[in-house]
Amino acid sequence: MENDSKIKQRWRKLLDQISEQAWVQQLKLKWEELDHQSQTYVKIASISILCLFLGIYTIKSLWNVHTLKKELAEKTDLLNLIQSASEERKRLEEIIPGNGTRENEPTTSWASYFESVATKSGIEKTNLTIDAEKQGASTEVSKEALIDLNLKHVNIKQVMQYTFQIETGGRPVKLRSLKIITNPDFTGYMDSVLSVSAFTLKQKEGS
C-alpha cells in the first residue's frame, strides 16, 4: 500500500510539472476558445488518428511475425534437407563402400542382381524382363540408374515380396513407382512394372 501511495504521488507530481509547461497552457487556451462542436470534431479526429496509428502498428507487427515464421519454416526445411542428404550419404557409404557393393560381395550387374532377387522371391526368370538402364541423376557421392522391371504372370504376394526384397536388399535401390496390370481371366495372376532407382557409390580418390 505504501508503494502504491508513493507511485501515485510521483504521477501527480509529474502531471503537475507537465501542466505547468507553457505549451500545455497554450493548448488549454486554444481548447477553451473552441466551441462545443469544434471540440467534438477535435476529439473525433484525435481518436481517429490514434486508431490509425494503432492499426498501422498492429499490421506491421503481424507482418513481422509472418515474415519471421516464413523464414523459420524455410530454414527448418533446409535443415531437414541437409540432414536427409547426410543420412542418405552415410547409408550409401555403409552399403557400398568404394566399389559399389558391400565389402567382400562379388561385383555383379544390376540385371543379374535383380534376377537373383526374383529367384529368392519365388519368381521364375522367364517371368522377369529387365529393360535397359537409363542414366539418372549424378552427384559427388553416387550415380543413379533408372531401370524398369517387368513381371509377367505373377500373384500379388510375389510382387509384394519382390518389392520388399529390392528395397531392403544388399544394394541401394529405391522404388519410384509400381504399376499393376490385372488380367481379365480372374485367375489371380497379374502383370506388373516396377520402376526403380539403382544407386552406385562413386570410387573415392586413393581408395
Side-chain angles (χ1 to χ4, degrees), residues 114-125:
F114 289 127
E115 287 178 356
S116 66
V117 175
T119 302
K120 294 177 182 178
S121 303
I123 300 174
E124 298 290 338
K125 289 184 178 181

Side-chain angles (χ1 to χ4, degrees), residues 43-94:
K43 289 179 180 178
I44 293 174
S46 300
I47 294 173
S48 300
I49 292 173
L50 179 61
C51 291
L52 178 62
F53 278 109
L54 288 175
I56 293 173
Y57 177 78
T58 301
I59 293 173
K60 185 177 180 181
S61 298
L62 292 174
W63 178 255
N64 288 337
V65 171
H66 172 73
T67 302
L68 290 174
K69 286 184 177 179
K70 184 178 179 181
E71 291 179 356
L72 178 61
E74 290 176 351
K75 290 179 180 178
T76 300
D77 291 341
L78 179 59
L79 179 60
N80 291 335
L81 180 62
I82 293 173
Q83 290 176 342
S84 177
S86 177
E87 292 173 358
E88 180 67 14
R89 179 190 178 97
K90 290 179 180 178
R91 188 181 75 86
L92 289 172
E93 289 179 342
E94 289 174 356

Side-chain angles (χ1 to χ4, degrees), residues 52-191:
L52 178 62
F53 278 109
L54 288 175
I56 293 173
Y57 177 78
T58 301
I59 293 173
K60 185 177 180 181
S61 298
L62 292 174
W63 178 255
N64 288 337
V65 171
H66 172 73
T67 302
L68 290 174
K69 286 184 177 179
K70 184 178 179 181
E71 291 179 356
L72 178 61
E74 290 176 351
K75 290 179 180 178
T76 300
D77 291 341
L78 179 59
L79 179 60
N80 291 335
L81 180 62
I82 293 173
Q83 290 176 342
S84 177
S86 177
E87 292 173 358
E88 180 67 14
R89 179 190 178 97
K90 290 179 180 178
R91 188 181 75 86
L92 289 172
E93 289 179 342
E94 289 174 356
I95 294 176
I96 45 175
N99 61 357
T101 61
R102 286 182 182 270
E103 291 182 355
N104 302 324
E105 181 182 355
T107 302
T108 58
S109 65
W110 282 113
S112 299
Y113 173 73
F114 289 127
E115 287 178 356
S116 66
V117 175
T119 302
K120 294 177 182 178
S121 303
I123 300 174
E124 298 290 338
K125 289 184 178 181
T126 55
N127 293 344
L128 172 65
T129 304
I130 303 174
D131 290 351
E133 298 179 15
K134 297 178 182 178
Q135 183 176 354
S138 181
T139 67
E140 295 180 357
V141 179
S142 64
K143 295 185 297 182
E144 179 188 22
L146 306 178
I147 306 172
D148 286 341
L149 309 174
N150 302 278
L151 299 176
K152 300 291 184 180
H153 197 68
V154 291
N155 56 46
I156 188 63
K157 182 179 179 180
Q158 290 174 317
V159 174
M160 293 299 101
Q161 181 69 15
Y162 190 45
T163 303
F164 176 79
Q165 292 290 343
I166 284 176
E167 289 206 308
T168 60
R171 299 178 70 173
V173 179
K174 180 179 180 181
L175 179 67
R176 294 186 294 115
S177 66
L178 172 61
K179 183 179 180 181
I180 299 293
I181 306 171
T182 57
N183 296 320
D185 55 8
F186 302 103
T187 59
Y189 289 98
M190 63 189 66
D191 298 338

